[in-house]
Amino acid sequence: AQSVAQPEDQVNVAEGNPLTVKCTYSVSGNPYLFWYVQYPNRGLQFLLKYITGDNLVKGSYGFEAEFNKSQTSFHLKKPSALVSDSALYFCALNQGGGFKTIFGAGTRLFVKA
Amino acid sequence: GAVVSQHPSWVICKSGTSVKIECRSLDFQATTMFWYRQFPKQSLMLMATSNEGSKATYEQGVEKDKFLINHASLTLSTLTVTSAHPEDSSFYICSAPIETDTQYFGPGTRLTVL
């Protein structure tokens, strides 16, 4: 069965420091992996996706994620956090290009000035 | 870029009434749209897949008679919560795929049932 795990409910980081939001997945086929961000009372905004190719994927707002097949991980990273990055982040998985998406539980990121 | 809108953005209704939520793709056509439900501080749960020209496909545990979905055109899907009760209060989000694997999400509708 497919699943997505975000082991941290919350991540706290100081502004200017690097941030990492963790995600691991389980799927029988080829994973299509996504990161979305959600601001309060808003829908989800697409950040980046991994389908195939280079394991390091660059996305919106300076975010990037690294696909690691051996560790079945897809951690979200940013070299220098901004206060405005504070939001709820979701890792998500489609199996092999289908539309049906499974979301992780979400990780709340707090960036302190 | 692709935009998906929802209307209303928030609604308060009395218990027992029905509420309709619209999801529109503004600059592209969507034969398929998805409806999600999100409880406070929780993840999105897929409720149903809305298919233009055919019946919606509901996820296990979702009452099709309570959450009526109509995909009226290639740019519009509606979710009607019938005989709403306080436990139906939630944040409802729709999405539409624009590529083979990427979805664009609406801004969400917050439903409060008194």
Side-chain angles (χ1 to χ4, degrees):
Chain A
Q2 303 176 92
S3 65
V4 177
Q6 293 181 242
E8 303 155 314
D9 291 336
Q10 182 172 312
V11 170
N12 298 312
V13 65
E15 187 174 35
N17 283 1
L19 69 87
T20 299
V21 182
K22 295 180 180 178
C23 172
T24 58
Y25 67 91
S26 174
V27 67
S28 57
N30 293 321
Y32 286 38
L33 294 159
F34 303 81
W35 277 101
Y36 293 92
V37 59
Q38 185 181 32
Y39 296 97
N41 294 311
R42 301 291 299 275
L44 275 66
Q45 295 179 33
F46 170 79
L47 281 179
L48 51 81
K49 66 181 178 183
Y50 171 82
I51 306 300
T52 186
D54 194 346
N55 289 343
L56 184 64
V57 179
K58 294 188 182 296
S60 306
Y61 312 119
F63 284 93
E64 59 188 27
E66 185 167 10
F67 172 68
N68 188 317
K69 188 174 183 178
S70 63
Q71 297 184 4
T72 61
S73 67
F74 189 58
H75 301 330
L76 180 70
K77 300 181 179 183
K78 187 173 182 180
S80 178
L82 300 173
V83 172
S84 58
D85 292 330
S86 298
L88 185 59
Y89 291 81
F90 290 101
C91 182
L93 167 71
N94 289 5
Q95 182 174 355
F99 292 136
K100 189 169 181 178
T101 303
I102 296 173
F103 288 86
T107 298
R108 192 164 296 278
L109 173 66
F110 287 101
V111 181
K112 188 175 182 180
Chain B
V3 177
V4 175
S5 70
Q6 282 184 241
H7 178 80
S9 55
W10 59 269
V11 58
I12 301 173
C13 70
K14 293 182 178 180
S15 184
T17 61
S18 294
V19 174
K20 180 186 285 187
I21 303 170
E22 294 184 348
C23 176
R24 293 183 185 271
S25 56
L26 295 185
D27 51 2
F28 65 100
Q29 294 181 335
T31 57
T32 301
M33 292 183 176
F34 300 93
W35 287 97
Y36 294 86
R37 184 173 181 176
Q38 184 181 28
F39 290 103
K41 299 184 180 180
Q42 293 189 28
S43 188
L44 280 73
M45 298 298 294
L46 179 65
M47 298 175 65
T49 302
S50 175
N51 304 299
E52 192 272 336
S54 64
K55 292 182 179 180
T57 305
Y58 290 82
E59 296 300 302
Q60 190 173 8
V62 177
E63 298 176 62
K64 63 178 68 175
D65 294 332
K66 180 167 188 62
F67 298 100
L68 300 179
I69 291 174
N70 181 30
H71 203 128
S73 72
L74 289 172
T75 59
L76 173 64
S77 174
T78 60
L79 168 68
T80 301
V81 183
T82 63
S83 186
H85 290 281
E87 58 265 30
D88 298 324
S89 299
S90 190
F91 196 53
Y92 292 88
I93 303 174
C94 70
S95 73
I98 191 168
E99 299 172 358
T100 57
D101 47 65
T102 302
Q103 297 182 56
Y104 286 85
F105 288 82
T109 296
R110 182 160 300 284
L111 170 63
T112 300
V113 184
L114 302 177

